[in-house]
Amino acid sequence: MVTSATPVTIAPLTVDRLPDLAALFGTTGTTRGCHCLWFLRPGKEVEAGWGGANRQAFEACARAETLPIGLLAYAGGEPVGWCAAGPRARYARALRSPVLRQRDPAEDGSVWLVPCFFVRRDFRGQGVMRELLRRAVDLAAAHGARAIEGFPLAGDARRGSGDAYLGVEPLFAAAGFTVVDRPSAHRVVMRLDLSAHGRTVDRSAPGRTVGGTRSHKARGRMAG
């Protein structure tokens, strides 16, 4: 039986893992409908495809990409968490947002973005989101990214589940990200310069264990 004490491992999303992602997203109506297309496609297109069409579009995108499109967290073989990650240029809708108005467009291909997370309800509060972010940083470094960014909620106040997918400022700060812009009272853009930090890739196991045997790096609050 899989419980919140079951050790969790992280792996990049590959084509053969797409059914696992669909199973994870099927646990809530919002994730089942959106299927993580929100920052990839125009809003009207996402709304029109809510459900099966969005899943098909996301899976087509994943198959066409040469770089990973995100990471999955597993516990006892079951998918329990997700983190989208990839070159900033991939996220066309995010690039049109006022939140990223101060970015340098010339960096869109070399800077990665972590736009959203999702963690299954029974695994929240176990450090899974923090570990997904850590592994996203490793993945970006492994593929030669010069930096990686996120645009989480500002501050550390608890938010409703509707906003939780963005992450929060302390989550990114704990991973070494620093604030580069505060586009609004509620959002912040944070960045980790991989080249300046001489970031090296963790080449130990394919998935780092958290949960029942979690490390000190996997502590902290996690939203969905």
Side-chain angles (χ1 to χ4, degrees):
M1 179 179 177
V2 175
T3 70
S4 59
T6 304
V8 174
T9 57
I10 313 293
L13 179 68
T14 50
V15 171
D16 61 307
R17 296 182 189 275
L18 287 172
D20 293 342
L21 183 63
L24 175 65
F25 284 169
T27 60
T28 77
T30 299
T31 50
R32 183 168 55 248
C34 177
H35 218 87
C36 210
L37 275 189
W38 191 252
F39 294 113
L40 292 169
R41 297 287 188 270
K44 289 184 178 180
E45 184 177 327
V46 176
E47 292 170 4
W50 201 254
N54 282 350
R55 174 181 175 179
Q56 292 175 7
F58 178 89
E59 292 182 350
C61 180
R63 291 188 176 97
E65 286 284 348
T66 57
L67 294 173
I69 202 166
L71 301 109
L72 272 170
Y74 288 89
E78 294 183 14
V80 298
W82 162 253
C83 169
R88 206 165 59 189
R90 175 185 291 161
Y91 301 101
R93 187 176 185 185
L95 298 185
R96 294 193 296 271
S97 168
V99 174
L100 293 179
R101 65 177 180 266
Q102 298 296 330
R103 82 182 202 285
D104 180 359
E107 292 186 329
D108 287 347
S110 59
V111 172
W112 278 38
L113 181 67
V114 180
C116 63
F117 300 85
F118 175 68
V119 177
R120 207 172 77 183
R121 183 176 297 277
D122 52 332
F123 274 82
R124 296 174 188 174
Q126 305 300 316
V128 178
M129 184 182 282
R130 181 169 297 197
E131 191 62 14
L132 281 164
L133 179 58
R134 191 193 72 83
R135 291 303 299 260
V137 171
D138 287 345
L139 189 65
H143 288 281
R146 65 181 299 172
I148 184 168
E149 296 180 343
F151 42 34
L153 298 168
D156 58 1
R158 294 186 63 179
R159 306 301 208 282
S161 59
D163 291 328
Y165 69 96
L166 296 166
V168 292
E169 186 175 341
L171 170 75
F172 283 81
F177 288 67
T178 57
V179 175
V180 294
D181 189 27
R182 292 189 180 274
S184 75
H186 304 292
R187 296 287 292 280
V188 60
V189 179
M190 302 184 74
R191 178 178 175 121
L192 176 63
D193 189 334
L194 300 175
S195 58
H197 286 78
R199 183 79 185 204
T200 56
V201 180
D202 179 1
R203 301 187 184 279
S204 53
R208 182 179 176 83
T209 300
V210 295
T213 57
R214 67 188 182 189
S215 72
H216 69 284
K217 292 183 179 179
R219 294 196 303 264
R221 177 172 299 278
M222 174 187 55

